[in-house]
Amino acid sequence: MQLRLGWVIPCLALTLAAPALAQQTDGSTTADAVPPPPSATVSEVPPAPQQQVEVAPAPQVVTVAPQTAVPDQSATAAAYGQPVYQGTPQVYPEVAAPRRRGDHLEDTANAGEVVDLMITGGAYGVFLANSIITWADLDDTSFDPITGTSRRSSDDVVRIRFVGTLLGATLSLTGLLAADAPRGVPTTMAMGLRYGTAFAGFGAGAAGADGDAMLAAMSLGGVIGLGIGAGLGFGLRPHTSRSRFVESGFLWGTAFGGMLAGAFSNTDGRAVLGGMLAGSLGAMLAHSLVASLTPVHVGRGWLMNAAFAAGSGLAAFFTWGFGGSGVSGETYLATMSATGFVALAVVFAVTDGIQDAGWDESELPEVVRNMSLDVSPTQGGAVGTIRGQF
């Protein structure tokens, strides 16, 4: 403590006498400039020269002030108690890609799935309401011989259809019941409702059913398809990309089956409807096998549809250019179906690498682990065997 006070007192004295010390250091102060000593006795005057001589090392504080004279700035900062910052680069953690809802099994259905189910349910409700009006003959405007007037006016029919359409559209609200369903379930339900109705219509038309019977078959097919879709959704919990890829096969399969059937049946209506049913079912089954083996991307399915449409259109153009108006409809359908299918197969092979990378494979094992196809020739034909491990 004595040592510290011994340094503090001289430093205070040095601070108060800094202007005088600076003049003495420069050598520019003369004896005349020194002020006269105070009128005090010799015993009261402190030994100023000795104090100044002893405090001579103190100007080190003044000389250290310029930091340019010190090459190591970190050492200077440490000497004055200041924090020292090292020049090491700061490492920033990688920003992970945003997690998509629906890529994990524990996810619930997203808004797009619910909206899809609502739109499909509303469309089916409109179809069902208008079918009921047709079955009940509520749109009958024929002449009534008993009353001598028309059974209903056209204005009445418009009102009945309008009210029935509005009531049927309210079925879209039932889609909100699936808002908390597991991911993929609303999509399979909407697909079952859509394609159950379409398949039932194709089958009833191929069987020669009349208008009322076809409407009844389509209405019943939609309900059955909705139940099947719900069962597959809750049971398999498929990824939405898988379901959409399977759905994309309906378009080219329906067109290919209808064209092929029309080419060999003289465009008979019942045969064309049967071909559309077989083609759509076969295409969706093929897409299901592909989707069970790889994490497919829905864009691949739409590219296949575009390839089939482009190939069919190109074949129709060349057929018309080669034969003109004299070419039969069967020839057009044959060339269009064949060329479209070849273009589709080429695009399917080229787009093999297009896959959806957003899936969580640790939680989503493949449905089919491996599959092999064996073909053995027999007398008068061949036998094919498909083997798969689930």
Side-chain angles (χ1 to χ4, degrees), residues 14 71 138 192 229 269 300 368 373 376:
L14 178 64
L138 297 178
R300 189 181 183 188
V368 182
L373 174 63
S376 303

Side-chain angles (χ1 to χ4, degrees), residues 5-108:
L5 292 176
W7 279 101
V8 170
I9 294 174
C11 288
L12 291 175
L14 178 64
T15 303
L16 297 175
L21 291 176
Q23 291 178 0
Q24 292 178 5
T25 305
D26 295 338
S28 59
T29 306
T30 61
D32 297 335
V34 178
S39 59
T41 59
V42 177
S43 61
E44 295 178 358
V45 178
Q50 295 179 0
Q51 291 292 333
Q52 293 179 356
V53 173
E54 293 178 359
V55 184
Q60 294 179 359
V61 179
V62 180
T63 56
V64 175
Q67 296 182 1
T68 55
V70 182
D72 190 358
Q73 296 183 359
S74 62
T76 304
Y80 283 93
Q82 298 179 357
V84 179
Y85 299 96
Q86 301 294 333
T88 56
Q90 187 175 1
V91 179
Y92 295 93
E94 287 188 23
V95 179
R99 181 178 181 272
R100 300 186 313 176
R101 185 177 179 184
D103 287 336
H104 301 266
L105 286 174
E106 70 274 8
D107 291 344
T108 56

Side-chain angles (χ1 to χ4, degrees), residues 113-125 167-181 186 189-190 193 226:
E113 294 187 78
V114 178
V115 170
D116 181 22
L117 180 57
M118 292 180 65
I119 294 175
T120 305
Y124 176 80
L167 292 177
T170 58
L171 285 180
S172 62
L173 299 177
T174 59
L176 296 175
L177 299 176
D180 296 330
M189 293 174 65
L193 185 58
L226 178 65

Side-chain angles (χ1 to χ4, degrees), residues 306-389:
F308 183 85
S312 300
L314 189 63
F317 176 77
F318 279 103
T319 302
W320 175 81
F322 293 149
S325 59
V327 181
S328 63
E330 290 80 4
T331 302
Y332 270 102
L333 293 176
T335 56
M336 290 171 65
S337 60
T339 307
F341 186 78
V342 170
L344 180 143
V346 171
V347 172
F348 175 76
V350 171
T351 59
D352 182 57
I354 298 180
Q355 296 182 355
D356 193 339
W359 295 15
D360 187 354
E361 295 297 337
S362 62
E363 300 179 358
L364 187 65
E366 302 299 340
V367 179
V368 182
R369 297 181 181 178
N370 57 63
M371 179 174 293
S372 61
L373 174 63
D374 299 331
V375 179
S376 303
T378 60
Q379 185 176 1
V383 176
T385 305
I386 298 179
R387 293 179 297 179
Q389 182 180 358

Side-chain angles (χ1 to χ4, degrees), residues 199-209 214 268-278:
F199 293 154
F202 292 155
M214 181 177 290
D268 179 66
R270 294 175 58 181
V272 171
L273 288 174
M276 293 171 68
L277 175 62

Side-chain angles (χ1 to χ4, degrees), residues 19 55 75 94 118 151 159-160 165 187 193 219 237 244 269 271 275-276 279 286 289 311 331 334 349-350 387:
V55 184
E94 287 188 23
M118 292 180 65
R151 298 181 185 275
R159 296 187 186 97
I160 293 172
T165 300
T187 299
L193 185 58
S219 301
R237 302 283 297 279
R244 298 300 184 192
M276 293 171 68
L289 293 176
T331 302
V350 171
R387 293 179 297 179

